[in-house]
Amino acid sequence: MKLRCTKCERKYPTESFIQRCEICNEPLELELLKGEIREGKTVWERYRDFYPFELGIEYSLGEGETPLTKVQKLSEELEVELYIKNETLNPTWSFKDRGTFVGIHRALKSGSRRIGTVSTGNMAASVASYGQRFGLETYILVSSSIPEEKLLPIAVYGPKLIKVFGDYGELYFRSLEIGRRNGIYFINSDDPFRIEGYKTISFEIAEIFVPDYVLIPTSSGGLFRGILKGFLELKESRIIREIPTLICVQARGCSPIYRAFIEGKDKIVRFKNPNTIAHAIENPYPPSGNDVLRKLRKYRGLCIAVSDGEILNAQRELAKEGIFVQPASAVGIAALKKLRGGKGISKGERVVSIITGSGLKFLGALGGKLDIQECTLEMLNECIGL
Ligand SMILES: *Cc1c(COP(=O)(O)O)cnc(C)c1O
Ligand SMILES: [Zn+2]
């Protein structure tokens, strides 16, 4: 089993500390794995054929096995069969846990006792949690735009936590350099083994059905690549016949992949002055951006951007269905509304939107606009008003 450059296909050993191609600086990826679904309680056990190494299940915090839930009101309104893959139910409340769990195995395989990550919040909390769990020295670099309330659920695990001012896109590349010098394995957004963890989202969806479309909130491009790889491996293994159409969704206020896609370019350009409420997908220079573009073309995916207004609206609509998501996780629903309105998704099709992270992580996004009444004990009857 080798790592392969996603662009020039040059091969690298899996044990190496190399995270990007030495020739084209594009991300590496494990070759496609094939297998059968085995007996087992957890997704890691059932899909063990799809991992070239044994996973230390005893370190699992129960990531994955999240529900695929039908969203009734929006299904009726939009005349599609809409499901959400509810990743808010992971141990640190985002899908990042799936990737962190597998990513740490690579760190351990490379002999590293030091790990780290560069994050806008969710991945930081995830790596900090699993770093403790595995007993590793953990270095967390977060962007300066991170809301204060998101720092606490990272700091609580006690990692070395540093808030870095400067270009967030650049911080990724800087961390790889620092990691090489100091023997810190940075399990960043599109680390090849992190992506191996994200594959399990596709495995779990396909165990129920293969949808026509999957909506994927996209920042670095790691999640998009993981979901695609999962479906491709199932197809190669003849477990499913066709892969769904994948839809890369970005926030308009930071949409470098979308820009390049509609302009027909094959390289992303750094997005100037990113500004969106969806902080978790605010990477102005996504390290897997070019690869997402290549894969969108190769597998006929779609790409769309949505505004902050549309995002907040979608967040409220999901709350009406009983599901509280953070803004970055609402972009899929916002995109679906546009795609139903114009060209794109037809009536009656089956759509899965990945709900990437919990709304509790970022209460500030609600901005005090909620309807709350006050009343004395004596006035309570009048206040209830029945
Ligand atoms: C990380 C993250 C994303 C985007 O994932 P990428 O792999 O960086 O594309 C989307 N939503 C949430 C909530 C996230 O934490
Ligand atoms: Zn290459």
Side-chain angles (χ1 to χ4, degrees), residues 49-270:
D49 287 7
F50 297 83
Y51 291 89
F53 46 84
E54 201 159 326
L55 294 167
I57 301 291
E58 67 275 21
Y59 289 104
S60 167
L61 285 167
E63 47 305 304
E65 310 288 352
T66 58
L68 187 66
T69 307
K70 179 111 187 252
V71 187
Q72 211 64 49
K73 294 184 195 108
L74 280 165
S75 287
E76 278 167 31
E77 183 194 322
L78 299 171
E79 297 182 297
V80 290
E81 277 191 51
L82 175 61
Y83 294 79
I84 55 159
K85 182 68 174 153
N86 190 352
E87 292 295 301
T88 74
L89 291 164
N90 275 293
T92 72
W93 308 285
S94 86
F95 73 92
K96 296 291 196 307
D97 293 333
R98 296 178 188 261
T100 305
F101 177 65
V102 179
I104 284 190
H105 288 82
R106 185 188 193 193
L108 295 174
K109 265 174 83 82
S110 69
S112 181
R113 301 296 303 171
R114 293 181 185 146
I115 58 163
T117 200
V118 168
S119 170
T120 56
N122 285 329
M123 194 159 55
S126 181
V127 171
S129 157
Y130 283 78
Q132 282 301 325
R133 177 95 179 149
F134 281 82
L136 304 173
E137 250 176 72
T138 308
Y139 298 82
I140 307 285
L141 312 178
V142 294
S143 73
S144 56
S145 76
I146 183 173
E148 233 15 75
E149 64 177 300
K150 272 196 171 190
L151 279 172
L152 302 178
I154 304 165
V156 71
Y157 303 104
K160 184 146 176 93
L161 173 56
I162 308 167
K163 195 166 158 179
V164 186
F165 292 82
D167 184 298
Y168 178 67
E170 180 58 31
L171 183 56
Y172 167 100
F173 294 96
R174 203 62 77 74
S175 76
L176 296 186
E177 213 178 284
I178 290 168
R180 261 194 308 279
R181 253 186 286 127
N182 301 288
I184 305 170
Y185 205 99
F186 274 92
I187 313 167
N188 287 348
S189 49
D190 67 342
D191 177 89
F193 280 37
R194 172 172 285 289
I195 282 166
E196 293 300 307
Y198 297 164
K199 289 190 317 198
T200 50
I201 296 175
S202 310
F203 297 162
E204 290 173 21
I205 293 172
E207 278 185 344
I208 299 172
F209 63 86
V210 180
D212 299 302
Y213 294 92
V214 182
L215 293 153
I216 308 171
T218 303
S219 185
S220 73
L223 176 62
F224 184 96
R225 288 177 51 204
I227 288 176
L228 175 62
K229 189 163 191 275
F231 282 119
L232 287 174
E233 291 186 349
L234 292 179
K235 189 176 174 196
E236 287 277 307
S237 306
R238 298 173 184 274
I239 293 169
I240 62 172
R241 252 187 283 140
E242 290 301 331
I243 69 164
T245 300
L246 302 190
I247 308 175
C248 164
V249 190
Q250 296 214 284
R252 170 147 298 151
C254 185
S255 46
I257 300 175
Y258 171 72
R259 284 270 177 89
F261 183 80
I262 53 163
E263 287 169 11
K265 300 211 175 98
D266 55 10
K267 273 204 159 144
I268 54 157
V269 176
R270 184 180 299 269

Side-chain angles (χ1 to χ4, degrees), residues 4-12 20-28 294:
R4 209 186 276 190
C5 171
T6 50
K7 182 159 186 244
C8 76
E9 305 208 331
R10 192 186 142 127
K11 291 182 180 181
Y12 295 86
R20 301 183 72 86
C21 180
E22 286 168 347
I23 297 176
C24 41
N25 196 29
E26 285 293 300
L28 305 183
R294 285 191 288 275

